[in-house]
Amino acid sequence: MKNQRRKATVYLVQGALIAAIYAALTYFLQPIAFGAQQLRVSEALTILPALTPAAIPGLTVGCIIANLSSPYGLVDIVLGSVATLLASICTRLTRNIKLKNIPWLSPIFPVLFNAIIIGLEISYFLPDGISWTGFVASALSVGIGELIVCYVLGLPLYAALDRTKIFR
């Protein structure tokens, strides 16, 4: 019983810390965190479900909090958080597919879900409304930024945290 309470407490604390760090990074770097050309550094944390299941609710709650300041309002709060939740679940599911002890496949899910969902969301707010061209341009822009953050920052973060054994 004591061990179960300890595990539940650790899960809750990990999730809360991840949410707080995600939201703080997004707020701190807000000028580059929103819009069609975005480089949301906090998305590097989307690799964390490969280390702990607590990252799934942590990232989702962190995204909800961060998107409270989004210029896209409620739409971004809902759709951005759904994209983060789906990506986190898929990242967790693919955590054991590794090459040289790195889950190279896992970061692709935040890239794909954000490119599609956020790309569609941004194209909705374009002056001409939703169009195929607007969607493709928005999806590519968001996807490229996400790809950079998830692979260039996220995978080294994973490697560093995995070595520390902090999530075990």
Side-chain angles (χ1 to χ4, degrees):
M1 184 69 159
K2 203 174 197 179
N3 193 31
Q4 284 179 328
R5 263 188 293 196
R6 181 188 174 285
K7 283 185 179 182
T9 302
V10 167
Y11 182 91
L12 183 64
V13 170
Q14 285 178 350
L17 284 171
I18 291 167
I21 293 167
Y22 184 99
L25 277 171
T26 304
Y27 280 131
F28 182 68
L29 300 170
Q30 191 169 9
I32 61 171
F34 296 102
Q37 288 82 36
Q38 59 179 261
L39 199 64
R40 190 178 276 202
V41 175
S42 52
E43 286 290 302
L45 301 177
T46 60
I47 192 65
L48 295 182
L51 293 168
T52 176
I56 297 170
L59 290 168
T60 305
V61 170
C63 187
I64 291 168
I65 294 167
N67 286 351
L68 290 173
S69 67
S70 170
Y72 300 110
L74 184 61
V75 174
D76 199 23
I77 294 168
V78 173
L79 292 180
S81 303
V82 167
T84 298
L85 175 62
L86 294 172
S88 296
I89 291 168
C90 291
T91 297
R92 181 75 185 161
L93 292 173
T94 58
R95 72 187 181 279
N96 293 323
I97 302 170
K98 296 180 179 178
L99 179 63
K100 296 189 179 188
N101 212 32
I102 300 291
W104 292 94
L105 180 62
S106 294
I108 199 65
F109 297 104
V111 174
L112 294 175
F113 281 108
N114 280 289
I116 293 167
I117 295 171
I118 305 307
L120 185 61
E121 174 189 326
I122 291 171
S123 70
Y124 174 80
F125 286 103
L126 291 174
D128 296 334
I130 294 179
S131 69
W132 182 249
T133 307
F135 166 70
V136 170
S138 297
L140 281 174
S141 180
V142 170
I144 290 168
E146 193 77 14
L147 188 72
I148 292 167
V149 170
C150 290
Y151 280 91
V152 174
L153 299 177
L155 285 180
L157 175 65
Y158 172 89
L161 291 173
D162 190 44
R163 275 193 302 270
T164 67
K165 312 282 190 233
I166 196 167
F167 289 109
R168 293 190 188 148

